[in-house]
Amino acid sequence: MALTDTAPRVRVENLRIAFPRPDAAPLEVLSGISLDVADGEFVAVVGPSGSGKSTILRAICGLLKPAGGRVSVDGRPVTTPPPEVGFMFQKDALLPWCTVAENIRVGAELGGVARAEHAGRVSALIRLLRLDGFEDAFPKQLSGGMRQRASLGRLLAYNPSLMLMDEPFGALDYQTKIVMGRELLRIWEAERRAIIFVTHDIEEAVALADRVVVFSARPARIVADYAVDLPRPRDLRAMRGEAAFVRLTEAIWSDLALPA
Amino acid sequence: MSDSATARAPAGNAGPAQGAAAWRTGAAQAGLILVLLALWEIAARTVLNPFWSSRPSLIAERIWRLALSGELWVHCSITLQEAGAGLLLGAAAGVPLGIALARAPRTAKVVEPVVMGLYGLPRVALAPLFILWFGIGLMSKIMMAFTMVVFIFMLNVMEGIRTIDPDHLDLMRSMRAGRFYLARKVLLPAVTPWILASFRIGVGLALIGAVVGELIGANRGLGWYVEKSGGQLDTTGVFTGLVVLMILAMLANQLIGFVERRTIRWR
Ligand SMILES: Nc1ncnc2c1ncn2[C@@H]1O[C@H](COP(=O)(O)OP(=O)(O)OP(=O)(O)O)[C@@H](O)[C@H]1O
Ligand SMILES: [Mg+2]
């Protein structure tokens, strides 16, 4: 468990979330989960599908009302989406009537970026995310991975100091994943934002994060919470062979009780 | 849609092929119409009695004569004014109503039976009443056209808002977008196709409303011309009115299709 010497950015205490069902008792998705995220911390969350990973992000962002427990961001209880929090959805949620550039621009416009800087910020991100040439394409003209990158561009344009990322690289091929991971780390190291990064990819979690939190199947408990003591800056490709890396990923594999 | 000056779909190399396909479709459409007209002409000269069925050549000649005398223009413009004003009024009332009802689901539940009752009413039957209320001038026909289309706009816009992706709303909420921004970036673009579709459906209905009004009580307009010709056993006159109405509806449809293609390139 990472020691926090400053007040946490995010504090989730005993959070309970249940979805009403028409003909049955409410579906208990989170039944009393607690999690703190310190300032500047990069936390990865892994866990089985349907365990409640997206749900906890939605609650932290104030998009879901808890049935019990508390969520606070920067010391304030979350009732509506807090400022400084950006959420990259699992589904890209690009506006189909906006081009790639316009979609990214939405982030800049709502992120309080000065109007004069919108165009510059957007084109810089398009280059960073290797979407050059598709500025004026509509989402339906993009591949799944390109849509995901455009959605990442919108988050980065919004420029939040706490980023909630729900499987942001899930649709990318291995190489692009590494490239995007590198860029994310570069941005994170430069500006020391806090990140909660949900992923299915255990190696990706270990490679990027300071801490890996492992969820159980629904209703989610935190089965394990590993500090990743690998040196930074990290070489996302070379580190995969290192003993410490392999030990950690093996431990997480066994926490998830997956057949070998 | 917003900064549309910069938004242009990348030039696909499908362009010329698409153009050729459009040409072929257009030629086939024109061909079909010509074949149907030819069949009609031949039938009217052989098996049918032209007194009952008229003939395309007679109708064309009549249209030509009405055009030369200026009468055609008068009737067309009257009917178009009635239908067009009714259509625009229907949009002006139906779109805000639809938005309001979609955003107030409880009110919508309360008014639903009344709305569906009015919607189900055969509104052409209102024509005699409207002539009494609004006279035989333009107003009664505008109101006829209006009642024909207003529900189309309202129901379509409601449906359009219902189909907005909740993720888009959550996304905007997560970035603390204001009402105005949300309306501009999500609400309006999402309902625009539904509004245009309403126009497409509404054109024909508005013409029906206007023409029914003219059939019941008027002294000008294409509906009146049809009614007058019928009274004089002038089938060519009746068909002329109908053909001109049909051409107007087709042109209006083309216009709306053009606007649709220009405004919703993202589909
Ligand atoms: N809006 C909702 N209404 C009802 N049930 C929901 C809703 N959102 C999520 N759930 C339920 O909550 C559970 C957890 O969903 P969640 O999306 O958090 O899973 P997840 O861990 O993100 O899974 P995945 O890895 O597949 O994305 C699922 O069983 C899902 O059916
Ligand atoms: Mg999920």
Side-chain angles (χ1 to χ4, degrees):
Chain A
M1 178 85 56
L3 288 176
T4 56
D5 43 17
T6 52
R9 292 293 318 268
V10 178
R11 166 155 281 176
V12 176
E13 289 172 284
N14 210 16
L15 177 66
R16 270 193 346 102
I17 292 208
F19 291 106
R21 279 186 294 192
D23 306 314
L27 181 73
E28 188 98 355
V29 176
L30 299 175
S31 46
I33 212 163
S34 297
L35 177 72
D36 277 10
V37 176
D39 194 17
E41 196 174 25
F42 192 140
V43 178
V45 176
V46 297
S49 176
S51 60
K53 304 181 297 295
S54 299
T55 302
I56 197 173
L57 291 191
R58 294 183 95 86
I60 293 170
C61 194
L63 296 174
L64 271 182
K65 225 187 164 74
R70 264 178 307 280
V71 178
S72 49
V73 168
D74 296 329
R76 282 184 298 273
V78 171
T79 47
T80 54
E84 295 290 309
V85 176
F87 190 173
M88 180 175 164
F89 287 56
Q90 185 168 3
K91 230 174 76 187
D92 57 65
L94 294 174
L95 301 175
W97 40 80
C98 289
T99 62
V100 168
E102 288 167 348
N103 266 296
I104 295 177
R105 199 184 176 103
V106 166
E109 284 168 351
L110 292 173
V113 177
R115 182 171 265 282
E117 290 167 35
H118 288 176
R121 164 98 50 117
V122 169
S123 56
L125 282 168
I126 282 177
R127 238 172 300 120
L128 179 79
L129 297 165
R130 318 200 166 187
L131 288 166
D132 325 52
F134 289 89
E135 297 83 346
D136 297 337
F138 288 100
K140 68 153 191 200
Q141 298 166 309
L142 303 182
S143 73
M146 291 165 79
R147 295 172 63 113
Q148 203 161 41
R149 280 178 279 149
S151 164
L152 176 60
R154 177 173 59 195
L155 175 75
L156 294 177
Y158 186 58
N159 198 26
S161 66
L162 169 62
M163 304 209 281
L164 309 176
M165 307 177 83
D166 199 349
E167 297 185 35
F169 304 155
L172 302 183
D173 63 280
Y174 192 77
Q175 284 85 344
T176 315
K177 240 185 205 193
I178 297 236
V179 173
M180 292 298 138
R182 245 179 229 151
E183 294 299 343
L184 181 64
L185 282 186
R186 201 180 48 69
I187 291 167
W188 173 75
E189 274 157 15
E191 307 184 16
R192 280 288 151 177
R193 308 147 190 254
I195 297 180
I196 306 181
F197 186 103
V198 168
T199 176
H200 278 149
D201 182 337
I202 295 170
E203 301 201 336
E204 179 180 67
V206 174
L208 295 174
D210 293 325
R211 219 175 120 195
V212 179
V213 175
V214 184
F215 275 26
S216 71
R218 196 189 66 234
R221 289 172 301 108
I222 293 183
V223 197
D225 189 339
Y226 294 95
V228 183
D229 290 321
L230 296 168
R232 291 188 190 272
R234 295 182 185 167
D235 181 336
L236 293 187
R237 238 162 61 107
M239 69 186 293
R240 287 174 197 242
E242 287 170 22
F245 182 90
V246 175
R247 245 195 329 274
L248 207 46
T249 51
E250 282 305 321
I252 297 171
W253 276 106
S254 60
D255 286 332
L256 289 170
L258 294 172
Chain B
M1 185 160 289
S2 50
D3 304 336
S4 50
T6 56
R8 191 171 313 128
N13 44 13
Q18 253 171 14
W23 253 105
R24 242 172 295 138
T25 311
Q29 287 169 338
L32 176 64
I33 292 170
L34 286 178
V35 167
L36 291 175
L37 287 177
L39 285 177
W40 183 0
E41 183 77 34
I42 293 166
R45 286 177 186 275
T46 53
V47 291
L48 297 178
N49 179 349
F51 175 78
W52 300 116
S53 66
S54 188
R55 275 191 284 126
S57 52
L58 292 176
I59 295 166
E61 188 209 324
R62 178 70 62 89
I63 292 177
W64 180 243
R65 225 160 8 92
L66 289 175
L68 285 184
S69 73
E71 232 181 306
L72 180 68
W73 168 243
V74 172
H75 295 313
C76 281
S77 85
I78 291 290
T79 302
L80 280 179
Q81 280 174 46
E82 294 161 351
L87 190 62
L88 291 180
L89 276 180
V95 170
L97 267 175
I99 292 177
L101 286 182
R103 313 209 64 182
R106 234 174 294 154
T107 313
K109 265 263 167 341
V110 174
V111 301
E112 192 190 310
V114 176
V115 168
M116 292 321 282
L118 289 174
Y119 181 59
L121 189 74
R123 276 148 292 153
V124 290
L126 291 174
L129 196 59
F130 280 17
I131 305 285
L132 283 178
W133 285 353
F134 303 110
I136 62 162
L138 289 192
M139 199 54 190
S140 51
K141 287 77 181 183
I142 292 174
M143 291 313 292
M144 280 301 295
F146 171 82
T147 52
M148 294 296 289
V149 301
V150 63
F151 295 110
I152 302 288
F153 283 101
M154 201 174 100
L155 297 173
N156 265 302
V157 165
M158 283 176 76
E159 191 57 28
I161 290 181
R162 235 189 306 254
T163 56
I164 290 179
D165 186 345
D167 271 0
H168 290 155
L169 300 177
D170 276 349
L171 173 90
M172 287 292 163
R173 218 145 70 77
S174 79
M175 294 192 284
R176 301 157 63 88
R179 262 162 191 280
F180 183 70
Y181 195 86
L182 185 72
R184 186 160 66 87
K185 282 288 179 184
V186 180
L187 198 69
L188 284 181
V191 297
T192 299
W194 296 81
I195 294 176
L196 288 173
S198 307
F199 270 105
R200 191 188 268 286
I201 305 165
V203 163
L205 288 173
L207 277 173
I208 292 176
V211 168
V212 167
E214 290 174 352
L215 290 176
I216 306 276
N219 48 24
R220 282 171 303 174
L222 290 166
W224 170 81
Y225 185 79
V226 168
E227 163 72 10
K228 187 199 74 170
S229 306
Q232 299 171 349
L233 305 182
D234 171 13
T235 39
T236 301
V238 172
F239 276 112
T240 300
L242 295 180
V243 165
V244 172
L245 277 168
M246 211 169 77
I247 293 171
L248 291 181
M250 279 157 67
L251 288 178
N253 234 316
Q254 289 294 321
L255 179 71
I256 289 161
F258 176 76
V259 173
E260 269 179 340
R261 282 191 299 279
R262 291 306 303 266
T263 39
I264 33 186
R265 275 162 310 144
W266 51 271
R267 275 223 162 153

